[in-house]
Amino acid sequence: MIINFSVSNFRSIRDEVTLSFEASRSDEMEKHYVINTVKNLRVLKLGIIYGPNASGKTNLLEALEFLRSIATKPIGTKTGEFDFEPFLFDDSSRVQNTVFTLEFVSNQVKYLYRVELNRKCVVRESLDYYMPNSAKVFSRTTDQTKQLVDIEFGSKIRIPADGRKALAGNTLWNNTVIGGYLKTNIDSRELHDVAEWFKSFLKPVIRPDLNLVPFIFSKFESDETGRETQLRILQKAGFDISDLKYKRDQLEVNEELLNYLNREIPIPAEQIKKIRNRGMVDIKNLLVQHTVNGREHLLPLESESRGTKRYIELGGVLAALLRGDVVISIDELESSMHPDLVKHFILTFLMNSGNSQLIATTHMRELLLEKEILRNDVIWFMEQKEDASSDLFCLSDFDTSVVRKSSSIYNAYKIGRLGAVPDLGDYYLGIADE
């Protein structure tokens, strides 16, 4: 699980911002909010981020996704470049490095991982662990002129000399050491646990337009209990859905279909070639079963309302959060959903999850009315500063002169006392006077 995540010089984020899941001293709703991990460390399950459009909320989630990507999907050649932009509204930022720092727990061990990079290469990288005192797993530097990597291991790390040499050889100047490890046949408990955390526990960002149906299909085929959990989630949320099924069909291949498949479910080029040569493609249709007056009716997912489709998809995500220990980020959680449904989603997660974490961005101010279900230390705000860079701060950072126990967080945010609201002008455009 994540303890702290920091990033600087990534898209709209110029100066370092930190999203923290360390619980404050408050014991409010401790049972449902706080995960007790390693000694004396209390970690929150939830982080909700508010802010106007273009404030940087999505960029913060994309930064975490980018870090996951460079750890699990190393670039294959030395000429490849990282696909990201530094802060662009400051000439000095264009030549400065981008820095990610992640503090997390994997397999009951606390780790601190730091990566500094530019578009061409990883400049510096380090990994430390705590047992309970800090100790080095590795530190890495890159000679940017020679495009060569030097890796130094901690004194307690047991990797034979030939394994260290092989890892260095597989860690290109534009690869992380974690990515290099995934290409190397060596035994290292620390590198294995960290690589496994990035691969299996930290999940990709769920964007509002992301098609999650393939994810649901994969769960149906491999996990019948997961399907039953998802059905229970939907029924508890008030949907008259008695079952979810799928059927297989075949479609004749054409370029429009191939483009759709490649867009919605990215497919490797060699697989696209096989599908084109075969002339047919296997597809699955998700069917939603409704039982009305004792009769069963199977409807295609496309016939459901947009909000119902969204919750069916997010129901699969919620089932994953409840049945495993994962970290999932959802951008614009409230998209297409009624406010009561969003509240129900969050409460279902809090009341039934174990060690999973949910990070969500939202514009839904109504949640701030729910003082009895939201702790101050899970509510974050992101706003754009005068220099167009993003700033991030927590509700718990405000002192009692701004936020008292009796204060209405909703009203304070609505009138701008907490910041992170749109800077709107008046309604007069003066078009008639031109």
Side-chain angles (χ1 to χ4, degrees):
M1 62 208 67
I2 295 175
I3 305 169
N4 294 291
F5 172 62
S6 301
V7 57
S8 63
N9 201 28
F10 182 88
R11 296 187 178 178
S12 66
I13 302 169
R14 186 188 68 176
D15 303 319
E16 184 180 77
V17 300
T18 299
L19 179 66
S20 177
F21 287 88
E22 290 190 76
S24 67
R25 294 180 180 180
S26 170
D27 61 357
E28 291 180 278
M29 297 162 280
E30 181 94 2
K31 177 181 176 182
H32 303 300
Y33 268 96
V34 176
I35 306 166
N36 291 295
T37 59
V38 295
K39 186 177 180 181
N40 299 323
L41 181 61
R42 297 164 57 248
V43 179
L44 294 164
K45 293 182 182 181
L46 179 66
I48 299 177
I49 308 170
Y50 283 89
N53 297 114
S55 61
K57 302 186 303 298
T58 300
N59 289 340
L60 182 64
L61 302 189
E62 294 290 349
L64 187 59
E65 170 71 6
F66 179 82
L67 182 60
R68 175 187 179 274
S69 177
I70 64 174
T72 59
K73 301 174 183 177
I75 296 173
T77 65
K78 296 181 75 169
T79 57
E81 294 190 357
F82 293 117
D83 184 18
F84 80 100
E85 294 291 345
F87 184 72
L88 297 177
F89 297 134
D90 179 354
D91 290 340
S92 64
S93 296
R94 296 170 185 262
V95 296
Q96 292 177 358
N97 294 328
T98 295
V99 181
F100 304 90
T101 305
L102 182 66
E103 197 174 8
F104 63 101
V105 175
S106 175
N107 200 16
Q108 299 301 309
V109 177
K110 176 182 171 183
Y111 290 94
L112 178 62
Y113 182 53
R114 190 174 188 273
V115 182
E116 182 178 343
L117 53 80
N118 54 43
R119 290 289 297 272
K120 292 183 178 296
C121 71
V122 175
V123 179
R124 277 176 284 273
E125 180 185 7
S126 63
L127 178 68
D128 297 286
Y129 70 107
Y130 298 78
M131 291 289 285
N133 297 323
S134 174
K136 179 167 71 174
V137 177
F138 71 81
S139 61
R140 167 264 189 87
T141 55
T142 299
D143 185 325
Q144 297 184 61
T145 302
K146 296 180 179 179
Q147 300 183 8
L148 293 176
V149 173
D150 179 67
I151 305 173
E152 181 180 303
F153 291 91
S155 59
K156 297 180 180 179
I157 303 304
R158 302 287 180 255
I159 300 177
D162 57 345
R164 298 184 181 204
K165 184 177 180 180
L167 178 59
N170 283 332
T171 304
L172 304 180
W173 77 318
N174 54 1
N175 287 181
T176 62
V177 174
I178 306 302
Y181 166 77
L182 292 175
K183 299 186 291 184
T184 309
N185 186 28
I186 61 172
D187 181 22
S188 168
R189 180 180 62 85
E190 294 82 10
L191 292 177
H192 173 271
D193 286 352
V194 170
E196 187 64 23
W197 188 87
F198 275 107
K199 286 170 53 183
S200 302
F201 295 94
L202 181 60
K203 300 299 183 181
V205 175
I206 296 174
R207 301 168 182 85
D209 58 349
L210 182 65
N211 178 17
L212 293 171
V213 173
F215 170 76
I216 295 174
F217 284 143
S218 68
K219 291 297 180 185
F220 281 8
E221 290 184 318
S222 63
D223 187 357
E224 177 65 21
T225 307
R227 186 181 73 86
E228 293 173 357
T229 301
Q230 183 175 356
L231 274 174
R232 196 176 305 123
I233 287 169
L234 294 173
Q235 291 161 358
K236 288 283 188 178
F239 293 97
D240 63 339
I241 296 173
S242 53
D243 205 353
L244 293 172
K245 300 181 179 181
Y246 69 89
K247 68 174 183 178
R248 298 178 183 272
D249 281 325
Q250 284 193 329
L251 286 180
E252 187 174 341
V253 169
N254 56 49
E255 289 303 315
E256 183 179 357
L257 175 61
L258 289 174
N259 290 336
Y260 171 81
L261 292 173
N262 198 37
R263 182 177 66 251
E264 297 294 334
I265 315 169
I267 296 175
E270 60 271 16
Q271 192 171 345
I272 287 285
K273 184 177 180 180
K274 289 180 181 178
I275 293 173
R276 182 180 282 112
N277 291 339
R278 182 185 174 199
M280 302 292 291
V281 61
D282 296 323
I283 64 168
K284 302 172 188 173
N285 291 315
L286 183 62
L287 302 176
V288 183
Q289 179 176 294
H290 299 266
T291 302
V292 181
N293 295 327
R295 294 183 59 192
E296 295 178 352
H297 304 268
L298 278 176
L299 303 178
L301 181 64
E302 291 71 24
S303 67
E304 302 289 345
S305 72
R306 189 172 181 180
T308 301
K309 287 189 288 186
R310 171 75 169 170
Y311 205 82
I312 287 173
E313 293 184 310
L314 287 185
V317 174
L318 185 52
L321 283 164
L322 302 187
R323 302 190 67 250
D325 297 338
V326 294
V327 181
I328 294 181
S329 302
I330 303 178
D331 196 17
E332 296 187 15
L333 173 61
E334 79 282 5
S335 178
S336 301
M337 295 199 300
H338 190 279
D340 288 347
L341 199 53
V342 177
K343 176 182 173 181
H344 192 274
F345 182 95
I346 292 173
L347 282 174
T348 302
F349 165 68
L350 291 173
M351 298 290 287
N352 297 278
S353 59
N355 294 331
S356 289
Q357 287 176 306
L358 172 64
I359 309 169
T361 71
T362 185
H363 296 286
M364 196 179 117
R365 291 185 303 203
E366 291 93 332
L367 280 176
L368 298 176
L369 292 168
E370 309 290 347
K371 290 186 66 173
E372 72 279 5
I373 67 169
L374 288 182
R375 292 168 52 117
N376 285 4
D377 51 4
V378 305
I379 300 172
W380 292 80
F381 301 100
M382 205 152 197
E383 67 179 8
Q384 190 180 82
K385 298 188 288 188
E386 290 186 1
D387 62 4
S389 67
S390 298
D391 192 19
L392 178 70
F393 46 93
C394 187
L395 179 59
S396 61
D397 293 338
F398 291 92
D399 60 32
T400 55
S401 66
V402 179
V403 179
R404 299 183 179 88
K405 269 200 168 184
S406 59
S407 299
S408 167
I409 307 302
Y410 172 84
N411 288 336
Y413 180 57
K414 186 176 180 180
I415 65 176
R417 290 184 66 192
L418 305 179
V421 292
D423 183 17
L424 304 175
D426 61 37
Y427 307 115
Y428 181 69
L429 299 179
I431 295 174
D433 299 336
E434 295 179 356

